Amino acid sequence: MSAGNGVEDPRLQQLVDGIVRLASGALGSRMTPSPRGDDIDAVITGVNLLAEELEYIYSDLEQRVADRTFMLQRAQAELEEMAKTDALTGLANRILLNERIQEAILASADSGTITAVLVLDLDSFKGINDSLGHGAGDIVLVEVARRLRSSVRATDTVARLGGDEFAVVITGSSTDEILLIAHRISEQLQDSVRVGPETVWAMASIGVCIGSSGYPPEALMRDADIAMYQAKAQGRNNVQLFHPDMLAAVRERLRITAELHSAVANGELALCYQPVVELASGKAIGLEALLRWHHPVRGLIMPDSFIRIAEETGLIVELGQWVLHEGVAQLGRWNETAPDLTGFRLHLNLSAAELLRRDLLEDVRDTLARNDVAPGRLVLEITETVLMSRGTAEEQILTGLRDLGVGMQIDDFGTGYSSISYLRTLPADTVKVDHTLIDDLVSDPQQQKFVAAILQLISAAGLKAIVEGIETAEQAAQLEAMGCLYGQGFYYSYPLPPEEVLDQLRSLSERL
Ligand code: C2E
Ligand code: MG
Ligand code: MG
């Protein structure tokens, strides 16, 4: 288009440039129409109007995209938050906890500070859940979460690992401060929790691990966990700081567990027998079978080093079965080879888990019959704590065993909680008084009174007392003077292998 005089109108170039600018996205650019108001100006004004419209549509679109993006981001953040928090308590979960530990360890590399992880496990939560229901359990967990949060700074992380296990990550504090916090938490958890009309306690065993920059984050959790188990082993409701020795102990346990699995099959187990003696005559009224493990490499291992592990891993059931079969078979052999000596009863120790064996009664009955041993010749030693916490399933088995005619004995009496009224309700006929009660018997008059009272208590409950751990003639004489009829201990005989124990019985009755 020309201006009519053959000369190109400069507005045309301006128009082309303007359209190119708009096309390149500069929607804010406008052209100025000339005062002439001709066709070209009309096009310029039209293009300006179009640009205006376009600009409006664009900004509206941009705003909508921004809004949608914001909503999406928020939803994603909420999802992430949900994936990293515990729904019940609102605390961090394991994933977030691990992230926080990683961050803390990285930060401590820069700052030279330490990072602490506390692992907490409630001591009696299962009981609350079982007796009051899961709703009550949830109330307790939420309250514990609240107390934990209030015991630490906002910058520290509190997490629920699942069930009744919690963890806390503390940064920027000294070792002393961290231990102080751990004890403060422990104290906070001593207070009772109200659940409707009920009052319950949610005390915890707490393990603490403190790491500096080089500590692998996953080891920090593992070691706090090990310390927590140590706290449980120390009687619960306490705080333990991780020490490398604890790790060695865990490895040792794992090794023992693995090797114990094959000990029965490899014939590495044996029984020793220790006489239960009538104090006045020296005559054996019983023989207690005590388990020994002859390890091919490490030699003799005593039960205190493996019974607890066997109980915790469930292996005790297999061990107990072996003890029952071997002990009763041995009694059967003695009946044949030395009938003059075998007036004694055979005592076997039974762990809590064995009482839950459905086939225990049947196994005992069959084993006795197979070896031609009368049920009255067998006594099962069960610790006081096991008897007191027995449930209906155990009660049924105990009743069945008693009906069969097997004797029942309370072992380690005096180490747990015993009340007089309770003693009378325990399904037992004899009570073995724990050796710790007579340790200071000869030197401590107070202890003499105490043991005398215990002996009277047992007799008042219609039970017979056997005192274990008698090591000296003085102790034996003192106990006899107190009216105690039966005893057991190194003074009379060490636990002996079966081929030696009958000779010992003979010399005992000759000696006294
Ligand atoms: P327990 O049933 O109370 O057995 C008595 C323990 O005291 C035995 O230790 C015995 O050797 C020891 N002892 C006996 N007289 C004396 C003494 O005069 N002084 C001292 N200081 N100790 C004495 P042992 O054989 O090491 O057994 C330890 C525990 O292991 C037993 O305590 C029992 O709870 C458990 N145990 C042993 N054998 C078995 C078993 O076959 N099954 C189960 N479930 N537990 C067993
Ligand atoms: Mg015993
Ligand atoms: Mg005992």
Side-chain angles (χ1 to χ4, degrees), residues 274 288-290 347-350 380-383 409-412 432 468 488:
Q274 187 181 35
E288 179 176 10
L290 294 161
H347 292 232
L348 300 181
N349 290 287
L350 219 64
L380 299 176
E381 299 195 358
I382 303 168
T383 60
Q409 176 178 281
I410 304 167
D411 202 357
D412 301 347
K432 202 180 270 183
E468 71 177 346
Q488 183 180 354

Side-chain angles (χ1 to χ4, degrees), residues 271 274 288-292 302-304 306-307 311 316 319-320 323 348-352 354 381 383 411-412 432 434-435 439 468-471 475 488-491 493-495:
L271 290 176
Q274 187 181 35
E288 179 176 10
L290 294 161
L291 192 54
R292 301 289 179 260
M302 299 299 277
D304 283 342
F306 65 87
I307 289 286
E311 287 174 341
I316 192 70
L319 294 191
V323 169
L348 300 181
N349 290 287
L350 219 64
S351 293
E354 295 179 76
E381 299 195 358
T383 60
D411 202 357
D412 301 347
K432 202 180 270 183
D434 197 67
H435 69 93
D439 282 348
E468 71 177 346
I470 302 177
E471 294 187 354
Q475 284 175 328
Q488 183 180 354
F490 296 161
Y491 172 61
S493 171
Y494 289 105

Side-chain angles (χ1 to χ4, degrees), residues 255 266 458:
R255 204 168 51 75
N266 295 346
I458 294 170

Side-chain angles (χ1 to χ4, degrees), residues 317-396:
V317 169
E318 202 184 330
L319 294 191
Q321 216 165 3
W322 182 86
V323 169
L324 172 69
H325 296 169
E326 174 56 27
V328 173
Q330 180 62 62
L331 185 57
R333 288 194 287 273
W334 277 327
N335 279 342
E336 296 199 342
T337 55
D340 56 316
L341 268 173
T342 51
F344 54 77
R345 299 206 287 175
L346 175 73
H347 292 232
L348 300 181
N349 290 287
L350 219 64
S351 293
E354 295 179 76
L355 269 186
L356 285 173
R357 258 182 72 190
R358 284 175 183 284
D359 60 341
L360 180 67
L361 183 60
E362 210 180 306
D363 196 6
V364 169
R365 191 193 291 121
D366 293 352
T367 309
L368 289 169
R370 196 166 55 240
N371 294 282
D372 201 17
V373 171
R377 303 284 310 282
L378 184 64
V379 181
L380 299 176
E381 299 195 358
I382 303 168
T383 60
E384 183 184 26
T385 31
V386 171
L387 283 177
M388 300 224 310
S389 59
R390 68 193 188 278
T392 35
E394 290 106 317
E395 187 77 53
Q396 271 178 5

Side-chain angles (χ1 to χ4, degrees), residues 154-176:
T155 44
D156 297 328
T157 302
V158 181
R160 178 171 170 228
L161 303 174
D164 59 350
E165 248 197 314
F166 295 84
V168 181
V169 184
I170 301 170
T171 51
S173 297
S174 68
T175 302
D176 285 348

